[in-house]
Amino acid sequence: MARDPACLFCRIVAGTTPAEFLYRDEHTAVLRDVRPQAPFHALVIPVEHVRTLDDLREEHAALVAELVLRAVTLAREHGLAEGYRLVWNCGADAGQSVWHIHLHVLGGRALAWPPG
Ligand code: AMP
């Protein structure tokens, strides 16, 4: 499985950099975001290093489904019954700052639209 020792999220899933895990299995992990933008803000990430959404290939289809289903389960488990938002920033213009794909799960308040 691809790993990049220079990547923050690879180091977190490897256990060499600390983080608050809300979930972990063979393919996916959920971290609480260190700079929350809503009362509930978590990141669903693959254990495998995938740099951006642009690096996804057909072979990742099952992994992408796992990430989305994990996010939906997480929202349910954390009581976000009034609604929540899943955000995937891709590239510099979208504000991607960690180059290992991650699905933001935001909820616990009304979220404005359009985003900035
Ligand atoms: P993005 O801007 O979409 O790349 O999102 C990266 C997210 O990672 C931001 O919301 C950061 O607050 C979050 N983040 C950065 N470092 C950590 C960390 N060590 N543990 C958990 N979340 C982090």
Side-chain angles (χ1 to χ4, degrees):
M1 182 174 295
R3 284 266 170 89
D4 176 356
C7 166
L8 172 65
F9 288 173
C10 283
R11 293 198 307 268
I12 287 174
V13 293
T16 55
T17 295
E20 183 182 348
F21 281 84
L22 299 180
Y23 179 84
R24 171 70 197 256
D25 67 23
E26 193 187 342
H27 301 125
T28 67
V30 180
L31 315 175
R32 199 179 287 281
D33 198 294
V34 283
R35 283 181 292 279
Q37 303 300 317
F40 183 83
H41 186 177
L43 304 170
V44 183
I45 71 174
V47 171
E48 175 185 351
H49 182 70
V50 180
R51 196 169 171 276
T52 79
L53 294 182
D54 287 332
D55 295 307
L56 289 171
R57 299 291 177 265
E58 198 61 39
E59 73 213 44
H60 293 110
L63 177 62
V64 171
E66 273 189 65
L67 295 170
V68 174
L69 290 170
R70 177 53 47 203
V72 170
T73 301
L74 188 75
R76 193 178 302 128
E77 288 173 350
H78 286 80
L80 304 181
E82 299 303 315
Y84 56 91
R85 184 170 294 163
L86 305 185
V87 175
W88 233 323
N89 292 324
C90 180
D93 271 4
Q96 183 173 359
S97 61
V98 178
W99 298 87
H100 177 131
I101 62 170
H102 46 281
L103 182 53
H104 294 259
V105 184
L106 298 140
R109 65 170 171 84
L111 298 162
W113 190 264

